[in-house]
Amino acid sequence: ARGARAANIDLAALRWTGKAPTFPLFRAVASGDFRGEVEARIATKSEPVRYRNHLAFYRLADALGSKLVPRTAVFAVRLSDLLVALRGDPEGLSLLREDMAVMNDGTVAVMISEPTAAAHEIDFSAGPEVKAWRGWTEGRSVPVERHALVVGYIEALVLDYLATATRRSVATLDNDLGALHLTENGGAFNERPDPQGLDAILAELKRVTRFPRGFVKGLRAFDRTRAEQALHSGPFVSWLVASRPISGMLDRRDSVLSLVGARIAELGETEALGFP
């Protein structure tokens, strides 16, 4: 399976959450490379490699040093182990019984992510939180207690722009720490990017007055070699993204750095890179 690696994970108490029947979201208890409660998505015949966009988006965020996307990996898990883990969930088992994408070696690709505990979804397109963050990105003064959220919002815009994720409608907000998370990333690296959607994200980025210094450092270092390490690791069959989308992504990365350079020329580096 593209992007999947041999299982160093054990799953127990696998239960369907009721979300997304075409790419079902489960909760499970894991041991191995992931420990404790995790979220699991199981490849289906109707969507056998849908997980690759999620995994590619996580690897992009990780390569840039962003913590917005929960740690994610894809494992090739034996079908027999999955069936054992599903024994306590007849509804989930019924959902998957005829639709699991079983590979020739008797394994199934399972995408595992760290959960975002005590969190709730927000409207990322027009919600009140996002409107407030937009206002702060365009101004010169941001309350100290809102710095992390505003930085997260800027990073989210850049990540979505680079990965052509133009249709993001929801994000997740941590109830306790006020941290922003991007968990629904299946629209990343669309084979037919929406030019108008990309222009809209770029227009929003043009209004940002201050950028996070550490994230910009990661962007500057993110050349083709690093992009291919993140998205083209292993043999061709395991590539998550084709070569042409990587070229387009690097062109968009140059556009973002041009915006940052313009802000530095206007305000000075200390002010333009005023967030950590």
Side-chain angles (χ1 to χ4, degrees):
R2 184 175 297 183
R5 51 195 172 99
N8 184 21
I9 193 168
D10 292 315
L11 298 175
L14 200 59
R15 292 186 178 277
W16 182 41
T17 63
K19 294 180 65 176
T22 57
F23 190 26
L25 177 64
F26 288 77
R27 290 274 180 161
V29 177
S31 58
D33 283 357
F34 286 70
R35 295 182 181 275
E37 187 172 280
V38 296
E39 292 185 344
R41 291 185 186 266
I42 300 171
T44 61
K45 293 177 183 176
S46 53
E47 298 280 0
V49 291
R50 187 174 178 183
Y51 61 82
R52 68 183 180 183
N53 294 8
H54 291 263
L55 183 59
F57 193 82
Y58 163 71
R59 289 188 180 174
L60 170 62
D62 186 55
L64 293 176
S66 175
K67 303 300 182 184
L68 293 186
V69 184
R71 185 165 72 99
T72 300
V74 175
F75 299 92
V77 180
R78 288 185 302 177
L79 173 62
S80 58
D81 292 341
L82 280 180
L83 294 177
V84 169
L86 277 165
R87 283 185 303 186
D89 182 14
E91 187 176 12
L93 180 59
S94 175
L95 177 72
L96 290 172
R97 185 183 296 277
E98 302 298 329
D99 199 29
M100 274 193 283
V102 183
M103 292 177 278
N104 292 335
D105 62 358
T107 63
V108 178
V110 181
M111 187 180 83
I112 302 295
S113 299
E114 292 178 338
T116 52
H120 64 279
E121 289 187 346
I122 62 169
D123 180 350
F124 196 72
S125 58
E129 301 91 346
V130 172
K131 289 180 180 178
W133 301 338
R134 283 176 185 158
W136 281 324
T137 63
E138 297 172 17
R140 297 289 183 88
S141 178
V142 179
V144 173
E145 65 274 15
R146 293 291 183 264
H147 277 193
L149 282 172
V150 174
V151 166
Y153 177 64
I154 295 168
E155 289 184 10
L157 289 175
V158 174
L159 289 171
D160 281 350
Y161 183 61
L162 296 182
T164 65
T166 57
R167 297 180 181 177
R168 182 178 302 283
S169 58
V170 298
T172 303
L173 196 60
D174 189 302
N175 295 340
D176 297 326
L177 302 177
L180 179 67
H181 303 283
L182 303 180
T183 58
E184 295 299 327
N185 304 312
F189 296 102
N190 195 306
E191 293 182 0
R192 295 183 176 84
D194 173 15
Q196 291 182 331
L198 289 172
D199 287 345
I201 298 175
L202 183 60
E204 186 63 36
L205 284 169
K206 287 179 179 178
R207 292 192 284 268
V208 174
T209 56
R210 287 191 293 172
F211 291 86
R213 182 179 296 270
F215 189 67
V216 169
K217 181 180 179 180
L219 270 177
R220 288 170 172 164
F222 190 65
D223 56 11
R224 177 168 286 276
T225 297
R226 296 201 178 191
E228 291 184 347
Q229 286 173 347
L231 304 174
H232 277 185
S233 59
F236 173 76
V237 70
S238 67
W239 288 7
L240 297 173
V241 177
S243 294
R244 183 175 293 180
I246 288 183
S247 297
M249 176 182 66
L250 292 173
D251 288 341
R252 290 187 295 277
R253 168 250 189 197
D254 291 343
S255 297
V256 174
L257 289 178
S258 293
L259 292 179
V260 174
R263 284 299 184 206
I264 291 174
E266 176 189 0
L267 304 174
E269 184 164 326
T270 301
E271 179 71 15
L273 302 182
F275 294 121

